[in-house]
């Protein structure tokens, strides 16, 4: 089937033409993968998101919602899915951090551990900096593993560590 333009593709999709769907997939798959990767920063996650979108596009007949540009509809849909995924992962990570620190507080109450850093100095750290510092320096995790657990890049982890150590050094100087 030769498809001339996006308006014709949309028209054929609304008629349930599988060849039109295949044409959309072939024409936009790579572009949508790149768009998803730009937001998610994970190649496999980007591919899964795009493939899941195409499955939904066909099975749930989402193409019936297209009233303007096909390209604009597809890229917006992928962007929204990726942003929802990032938001969900961020919420999950925050819950995990909160849960982990709650467990840590309970364990500390049961078995007192000598403090290396005064509580006030540690309280000055943001949650992510505290988590990065804890994973690398207390739990002795490699940067790659710590970054994966936190859901951030290795460079972001390094930045959090650098800033955490800077804050701790400044706090210790003023505590003396």
């Amino acid at each position: 089937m030769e498809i001339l333009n996006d308006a014709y593709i949309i028209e054929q999709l609304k008629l349930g033409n599988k060849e039109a769907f295949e044409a959309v997939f072939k024409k936009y798959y790579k572009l949508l993968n790149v768009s998803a990767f730009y937001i998610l920063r994970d190649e496999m996650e980007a591919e899964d998101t795009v493939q899941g979108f195409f499955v939904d596009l066909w099975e749930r007949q989402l193409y019936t919602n297209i009233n303007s540009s096909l390209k604009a509809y597809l890229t917006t849909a992928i962007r929204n899915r990726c942003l929802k995924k990032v938001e969900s992962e961020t919420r999950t990570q925050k819950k995990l951090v909160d849960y982990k620190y709650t467990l840590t507080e309970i364990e500390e109450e049961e078995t007192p551990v000598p403090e290396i850093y005064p509580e006030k100095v540690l309280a000055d750290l943001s949650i992510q900096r505290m988590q990065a510092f804890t994973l690398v320096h207390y739990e002795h995790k490699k940067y790659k593993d710590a970054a994966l657990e936190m859901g951030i890049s290795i460079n972001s982890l390094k930045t959090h560590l650098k800033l955490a150590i800077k804050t701790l050094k400044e706090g210790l100087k003023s505590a003396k």
Side-chain angles (χ1 to χ4, degrees):
M1 173 176 154
E2 184 177 314
I3 296 184
L4 304 173
N5 62 31
D6 286 354
Y8 182 72
I9 293 174
I10 294 169
E11 183 182 312
Q12 289 301 306
L13 278 173
K14 289 181 179 180
L15 294 173
N17 188 329
K18 282 188 178 183
E19 291 175 0
F21 175 75
E22 290 172 11
V24 170
F25 184 84
K26 288 176 184 174
K27 185 174 181 179
Y28 290 106
Y29 181 76
K30 287 182 182 179
L31 171 71
L32 297 177
N33 259 338
V34 170
S35 298
F37 178 77
Y38 181 75
I39 296 170
L40 299 173
R41 302 286 185 206
D42 183 305
E43 189 175 338
M44 295 302 289
E45 193 73 29
E47 285 182 22
D48 289 347
T49 302
V50 172
Q51 289 173 359
F53 169 73
F54 273 109
V55 168
D56 285 348
L57 181 69
W58 183 254
E59 289 181 354
R60 294 176 49 209
Q61 299 179 351
L62 298 178
Y63 49 80
T64 58
N65 299 329
I66 303 172
N67 297 320
S68 59
S69 164
L70 177 62
K71 182 178 178 181
Y73 176 84
L74 296 173
T75 54
T76 301
I78 288 297
R79 181 177 50 98
N80 289 342
R81 279 187 181 226
C82 291
L83 291 175
K84 282 182 183 177
K85 192 168 279 206
V86 167
E87 182 182 333
S88 173
E89 288 173 7
T90 303
R91 248 186 277 121
T92 302
Q93 285 296 323
K94 184 176 178 345
K95 287 179 183 176
L96 286 172
V97 168
D98 292 345
Y99 177 71
K100 185 174 181 178
Y101 285 110
T102 302
L103 286 179
T104 304
E105 288 172 5
I106 292 169
E107 289 171 1
E108 286 176 357
E109 288 173 8
E110 293 171 359
T111 57
V113 178
E115 287 189 47
I116 297 173
Y117 297 104
E119 275 187 42
K120 185 190 177 307
V121 176
L122 291 174
D124 290 341
L125 294 177
S126 70
I127 291 174
Q128 280 197 311
R129 290 180 190 162
M130 177 64 145
Q131 184 182 18
F133 187 80
T134 302
L135 290 172
V136 173
H137 293 291
Y138 285 124
E139 296 180 17
H140 307 289
K141 292 196 177 191
K142 295 179 181 177
Y143 285 1
K144 180 180 178 184
D145 297 332
L148 184 64
E149 187 172 323
M150 289 179 67
I152 59 176
S153 70
I154 294 173
N155 285 335
S156 294
L157 175 81
K158 288 178 182 178
T159 302
H160 284 303
L161 280 173
K162 184 175 93 175
L163 294 171
I165 290 170
K166 181 180 176 185
T167 302
L168 290 173
K169 282 180 180 179
E170 289 171 357
L172 287 174
K173 282 181 186 175
S174 65
K176 286 182 180 179

